[in-house]
Amino acid sequence: MRIYFTRHGETEWNRAGIIQGQDDSPLTEEGIEMGKILREKCKDIHFDSVYSSDLGRAYDTAKLICPDRNIIKTSLLREIDVGYWSGKNIKDVKEDDKWLHKLYFEKPHKYNRIDGESLYDLRRRVEKFFEYAVYPELDENILIVTHGVTIVAMYSIMENVPMENFWTNRVRRNAEFNICDYHDGKFKIIKKAPQNPVDSI
């Protein structure tokens, strides 16, 4: 099985440096164009299944990439729930919530919050998705449209990264393909999209 997976196109909040989490904001004009560019890049690939987070920014990107396909929406592919950080500027969170922000990036195995998910919660959710969409190896090619930190969690599973080293992989740029093969219980990374130039949450 070959897995093509991508972060959604650029959104209004991405551009403004606002944390989205499981809140949402619409794609920018550039974000819409990003989806169309991906559609052109994969026009000769037949995806047996197309999966998307059920959050609007990911689903809208999936529709741009595969406008004529049935897209399977699932909450298992949502971005991490960062509680009250959603809707706040990243710079403000870094300044006003220094301790939790520091835990998130420097000690991810200890990061936890009562109003959202830990990184362990996120990884377990992604693992549940893999259990029905990847591990059975029912398809030859699949497409997954999801979110920045969710993709980091995917890599942590694919590469068996300990939670202490979760951020070994950083958030990838919007609307760039990551590619991985999965056969006989083993992942092989084929391509990693470029890293996002700034930290994202």
Side-chain angles (χ1 to χ4, degrees):
M1 169 189 283
R2 178 151 290 186
I3 305 162
Y4 295 78
F5 53 111
T6 183
R7 188 181 174 201
H8 56 80
E10 182 194 63
T11 69
E12 297 287 353
W13 283 9
N14 286 156
R15 181 171 286 183
I18 296 173
I19 299 168
Q20 291 177 116
Q22 294 191 359
D23 284 357
D24 218 358
S25 70
L27 298 177
T28 61
E29 287 299 319
E30 185 174 348
I32 291 170
E33 188 60 30
M34 287 175 173
K36 293 177 180 177
I37 290 169
L38 280 188
R39 177 171 62 200
E40 181 64 22
K41 285 183 176 180
C42 66
K43 65 181 181 180
D44 296 325
I45 301 169
H46 172 71
F47 295 116
D48 299 291
S49 298
V50 180
Y51 299 96
S52 171
S53 158
D54 63 349
L55 297 176
R57 61 191 184 272
Y59 184 62
D60 289 346
T61 303
K63 288 191 293 183
L64 288 166
I65 301 170
C66 297
D68 302 320
R69 291 295 308 275
N70 175 51
I71 297 164
I72 303 166
K73 291 195 291 185
T74 172
S75 61
L76 295 176
L77 289 172
R78 283 186 173 194
E79 184 57 290
I80 186 170
D81 183 351
V82 290
Y84 66 84
W85 285 1
S86 293
K88 293 184 179 293
N89 189 283
I90 294 172
K91 292 179 182 177
D92 291 339
V93 166
K94 189 174 182 178
E95 181 64 29
D96 299 339
D97 206 353
K98 291 179 181 178
W99 179 77
L100 196 56
H101 182 274
K102 188 178 179 74
L103 272 185
Y104 184 75
F105 281 112
E106 296 183 17
K107 296 184 178 180
H109 57 298
K110 294 186 177 180
Y111 168 80
N112 200 3
R113 59 190 311 145
I114 60 173
D115 65 337
E117 294 179 302
S118 70
L119 291 160
Y120 286 105
D121 293 331
L122 171 63
R123 192 158 68 181
R124 281 191 290 268
R125 180 156 55 76
V126 172
E127 188 86 44
K128 286 182 182 178
F129 171 78
F130 279 12
E131 284 170 2
Y132 82 82
V134 174
Y135 297 154
E137 288 191 69
L138 299 177
D139 297 319
E140 185 174 346
N141 294 301
I142 66 171
L143 171 64
I144 298 169
V145 183
T146 183
H147 305 271
V149 185
T150 309
I151 287 175
V152 179
M154 290 174 66
Y155 274 125
S156 77
I157 295 168
M158 292 173 172
E159 298 181 320
N160 197 28
V161 176
M163 186 56 74
E164 292 87 336
N165 301 326
F166 183 81
W167 294 111
T168 295
N169 287 291
R170 307 301 290 188
V171 169
R172 304 285 148 180
R173 289 184 184 172
N174 295 92
E176 295 266 3
F177 280 133
N178 301 267
I179 305 171
C180 177
D181 284 347
Y182 180 75
H183 294 295
D184 297 327
K186 294 182 180 179
F187 290 100
K188 180 182 179 183
I189 307 298
I190 305 299
K191 177 193 173 188
K192 289 186 178 184
Q195 291 184 3
N196 205 50
V198 294
D199 281 335
S200 295
I201 296 174

